[in-house]
Amino acid sequence: MAAGSPGAEIRRGYPHLDTVRSAVTALYKRLSYDTVSTFGTSVLPVEVAFDDTEDLHLGAQRVARALVRHLRLPDARMVVSFREMEHAANVELTAGPEYFIELNTRFATHRKDIGAALAHEVMHVYLHRLDLSFPGTRDNEILTDTATAYLGAGWLLLDAYREHGPFSQKLGYLTPEEFGYVLAKRALFFDEDPSPWFTSPQAYDAYTAGRARARQDGHRPPLAGAGWTARHRYARDRRAAQGATGSVVRGPGDSYVFEGPAPLRVTFPCPACHQRIRVPVRGRLQARCALCHTLLDCET
């Protein structure tokens, strides 16, 4: 897992957004709607609280067990140790049932972030057992961060983001705003607000920014909630598609794609899971995403 350090520059914005969206889709495809729906309650702060009075190793094992329970891995045992290393943490992925997690020794004096570091590593084990991965280290780590956030433990990773004068810290590969985006997607789907759990003001600001970006996904045509400017562009592209012969007309960034000839259809990403949906172009209608079961009002 990547980690920030004093004076380190933290990348901001949404440079990995396409991979993040693909990761959410992959989770639904691999787990199914029914399984994803069982993660409606996040890991609670009391489950991962860690103060200076608790034994370091026993406390780390306790937090690891809480995360194992959250992910329903009853036959997985996490053995946590501490050592000097460049990164925040590392896990040895084997056949199990024991998995050895190493945490950077700096967590001995930053105990409140042990839950965040362990959440990412335990998710590596979870995805390993699912045989779900993306090619390449970068994309696979983004998948791990996204899964951690979407399945209820990633608010810990965002809360570990702090900036105090020359000191800056961020855990994970996603930017703070991308963590906020995924957490907002989760909040919209499960109707669960993580904002009261943030102890870092920078984490709360990043969540607010990510939430605004996530809500934009629900205001793009052909969704009925799209704004006037986007609707006007959509109508123009629809006219072009109706006049085309056996070709496709794409909206900005492939946000929607018209497919012809008649009967004309339009495909667009589900605002919840980003699986592409295909519907006929015939005015106002409702469409249900086959992957995440979200019901969408459309104006095609």
Side-chain angles (χ1 to χ4, degrees):
M1 180 200 296
S5 58
E9 182 178 353
I10 293 176
R11 196 173 186 186
R12 308 298 298 271
Y14 305 91
H16 314 113
L17 196 55
D18 287 344
T19 308
V20 167
R21 288 169 171 165
S22 296
V24 174
T25 307
L27 273 180
Y28 275 97
K29 286 183 174 180
R30 185 65 182 86
L31 291 176
S32 81
Y33 163 80
D34 290 336
T35 300
V36 172
S37 296
T38 64
F39 289 93
T41 302
S42 290
V43 174
L44 298 176
V46 67
E47 298 178 277
V48 292
F50 202 143
D51 62 36
D52 291 337
T53 64
E54 187 171 7
D55 179 85
L56 176 63
H57 291 86
L58 293 178
Q61 295 293 154
R62 173 184 59 79
V63 173
R65 287 195 299 270
L67 293 163
V68 166
R69 286 194 303 271
H70 177 74
L71 293 176
R72 299 167 185 82
L73 294 170
D75 59 337
R77 297 191 298 273
M78 306 297 157
V79 180
V80 184
S81 62
F82 296 79
R83 72 172 177 88
E84 294 283 350
M85 66 174 82
E86 178 184 357
H87 298 298
N90 181 62
V91 62
E92 181 182 349
L93 295 176
T94 63
E98 283 192 336
Y99 298 89
F100 295 89
I101 298 176
E102 296 176 318
L103 299 183
N104 193 302
T105 52
R106 69 185 179 85
F107 288 113
T109 54
H110 293 82
R111 296 186 176 194
K112 67 176 297 182
D113 297 326
I114 285 178
L118 287 174
H120 180 95
E121 302 308 320
V122 174
M123 182 56 71
H124 267 304
V125 173
Y126 183 76
L127 295 176
H128 174 69
R129 288 190 164 197
L130 285 177
D131 194 26
L132 176 58
S133 63
F134 279 180
T137 299
R138 169 191 171 276
D139 286 1
N140 201 53
E141 292 291 351
I142 291 170
L143 168 64
T144 304
D145 277 345
T146 302
T148 307
Y150 202 86
L151 297 183
W155 69 268
L156 291 162
L157 284 159
L158 180 54
D159 198 41
Y161 163 51
R162 289 185 290 277
E163 294 191 28
H164 301 292
F167 177 84
S168 60
Q169 171 186 279
K170 183 188 74 69
L171 298 181
Y173 282 69
L174 297 186
T175 69
E177 290 79 12
E178 288 169 339
F179 270 121
Y181 175 86
V182 181
L183 290 171
K185 288 288 186 180
R186 171 184 168 79
L188 290 167
F189 189 81
F190 290 107
D191 192 25
E192 180 193 65
D193 181 12
S195 57
W197 303 330
F198 294 126
T199 60
S200 163
Q202 291 85 12
Y204 179 82
D205 290 344
Y207 172 68
T208 301
R211 182 175 58 191
R213 184 63 177 261
R215 286 174 173 169
Q216 289 178 13
D217 292 346
H219 297 284
R220 298 188 297 184
L223 297 173
W228 184 89
T229 301
R231 296 282 327 154
H232 181 73
R233 183 188 302 115
Y234 178 86
R236 182 193 63 200
D237 291 338
R238 181 177 57 200
R239 287 193 298 270
Q242 288 167 336
T245 304
S247 60
V248 299
V249 175
R250 301 180 183 276
D254 286 356
S255 55
Y256 53 83
V257 178
F258 290 103
E259 301 174 348
L264 192 64
R265 294 164 297 176
V266 61
T267 67
F268 61 96
C270 171
C273 72
H274 307 289
Q275 170 82 340
R276 293 197 74 85
I277 300 171
R278 176 183 287 105
V279 296
V281 176
R282 64 181 188 204
R284 197 169 188 91
L285 55 82
Q286 283 191 323
R288 186 178 295 277
C289 177
L291 191 58
C292 72
H293 297 189
T294 299
L295 186 64
L296 304 169
D297 289 319
C298 304
E299 183 62 61
T300 62

